[in-house]
């Protein structure tokens, strides 16, 4: 009697058993996750990583987080199109973009604390290389607007010594690459209206309501 495994001949009409449909050497999810974390650590240790990215859930929808070795460089709402944002990061900061949740775990943890009402300010290294000139000047001033407080585009322009630049302040807020962490949502129109927001007006209202609670 032969000891070789039995194989049905093509066209025999017999169904293969389930064991023949699933390769036995496919690693499970836990193994893949462990291997990916090892890849993250090696890429960071050997300076092979330009941009680390991950996605976190939040009350205002999924947020894409991206960091360079210098710090958090991008927070993006889903409405900004995460695929487009990733392409922009690769074009502007380097093509070596890797999903690396471990690198971004401090930022993810602080965002969870913020949305839980347990954190009023972020303590993270920031990479502001996506902003320049007056826009960057405005964005650097935004964390000075305290938690639960608001100011207007005009007031911020005057505080920066550019009283006629309220529209430019609005543009700087609208192009803030680090929303939520850099609180452009705390800037309103002079009549108290919400103005615009990169995450949409619903998200802006939700953040202001969270901070007013």
């Amino acid at each position: 009697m032969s000891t070789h495994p039995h194989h049905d001949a093509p066209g025999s009409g017999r169904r293969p058993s389930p064991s023949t449909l699933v390769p036995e050497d496919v690693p499970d999810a836990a193994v893949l996750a462990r291997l990916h974390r090892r890849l993250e650590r090696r890429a960071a240790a050997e300076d092979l990583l330009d941009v680390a990215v991950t996605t976190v859930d939040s009350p205002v929808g999924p947020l894409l987080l991206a960091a360079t070795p210098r710090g958090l460089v991008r927070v993006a709402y889903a409405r900004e199109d995460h695929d487009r944002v990733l392409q922009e990061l690769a074009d502007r900061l380097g093509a070596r973009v890797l999903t690396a949740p471990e690198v971004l775990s401090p930022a993810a943890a602080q965002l969870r604390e913020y949305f839980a009402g347990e954190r009023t300010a972020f303590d993270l290294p920031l990479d502001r290389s996506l902003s320049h000139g007056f826009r960057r000047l405005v964005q650097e001033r935004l964390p000075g607007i305290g938690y639960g407080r608001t100011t207007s585009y005009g007031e911020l322009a005057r505080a920066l010594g550019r009283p006629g630049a309220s529209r430019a302040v609005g543009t700087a807020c609208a192009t803030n690459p680090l929303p939520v962490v850099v609180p452009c949502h705390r800037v309103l129109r002079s009549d108290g209206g919400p103005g615009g927001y990169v995450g949409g007006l619903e998200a802006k209202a939700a953040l202001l309501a969270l901070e007013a609670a």
Side-chain angles (χ1 to χ4, degrees), residues 112-134:
R112 282 194 295 271
E113 293 166 358
Y114 170 79
F115 284 115
E118 300 168 350
R119 174 173 289 277
T120 59
F122 292 91
D123 182 18
L124 296 166
L126 302 180
D127 180 346
R128 297 183 182 275
S129 60
L130 294 177
S131 295
H132 304 280
F134 186 69

Side-chain angles (χ1 to χ4, degrees), residues 15-16 26 33 54 68 92 96 136 139 151 154 175 186 188 194 198 200:
R15 291 183 176 181
V26 174
T54 193
T68 68
R92 298 184 63 178
R96 297 179 298 183
R136 179 165 174 168
Q139 292 161 11
T151 190
T175 56
R186 296 174 190 161
L188 309 176
V198 64

Side-chain angles (χ1 to χ4, degrees), residues 2-207:
S2 171
T3 58
H4 294 293
H6 174 74
H7 295 285
D8 294 331
S12 65
R14 297 181 60 178
R15 291 183 176 181
S17 65
S19 63
T20 66
L21 298 175
V22 181
E24 295 179 354
D25 59 349
V26 174
D28 62 25
V31 173
L32 287 174
R34 189 167 62 250
L35 291 172
H36 192 91
R37 287 195 295 272
R38 184 184 302 174
L39 176 62
E40 290 177 34
R41 288 192 288 269
R42 182 174 178 181
E46 298 182 7
D47 195 23
L48 299 175
L49 182 60
D50 292 321
V51 183
V53 299
T54 193
T55 304
V56 297
D57 291 328
S58 82
V60 290
L63 297 173
L64 175 74
L65 308 182
T68 68
R70 287 190 286 179
L72 188 68
V73 72
R74 191 74 165 90
V75 177
Y77 283 94
R79 73 197 301 266
E80 297 181 75
D81 186 348
H82 288 173
D83 288 340
R84 180 181 61 78
V85 172
L86 287 171
Q87 185 60 56
E88 289 176 354
L89 290 171
D91 292 342
R92 298 184 63 178
L93 299 177
R96 297 179 298 183
V97 179
L98 176 69
T99 300
E102 194 170 77
V103 173
L104 286 149
S105 59
Q110 291 195 22
L111 281 165
R112 282 194 295 271
E113 293 166 358
Y114 170 79
F115 284 115
E118 300 168 350
R119 174 173 289 277
T120 59
F122 292 91
D123 182 18
L124 296 166
L126 302 180
D127 180 346
R128 297 183 182 275
S129 60
L130 294 177
S131 295
H132 304 280
F134 186 69
R135 291 183 183 182
R136 179 165 174 168
L137 187 64
V138 171
Q139 292 161 11
E140 288 176 340
R141 183 62 72 94
L142 294 173
I145 308 169
Y147 183 92
R149 304 183 63 181
T150 61
T151 190
S152 71
Y153 300 109
E155 289 172 341
L156 190 52
R158 287 190 287 277
L160 290 165
R162 298 275 299 273
S166 58
R167 187 179 296 273
V169 169
T171 300
C173 291
T175 56
N176 174 19
L178 293 161
V180 184
V181 174
V182 174
C184 56
H185 59 274
R186 296 174 190 161
V187 187
L188 309 176
R189 295 190 326 206
S190 57
D191 63 1
Y197 186 58
V198 64
L201 294 183
E202 187 175 343
K204 187 171 188 174
L207 297 179

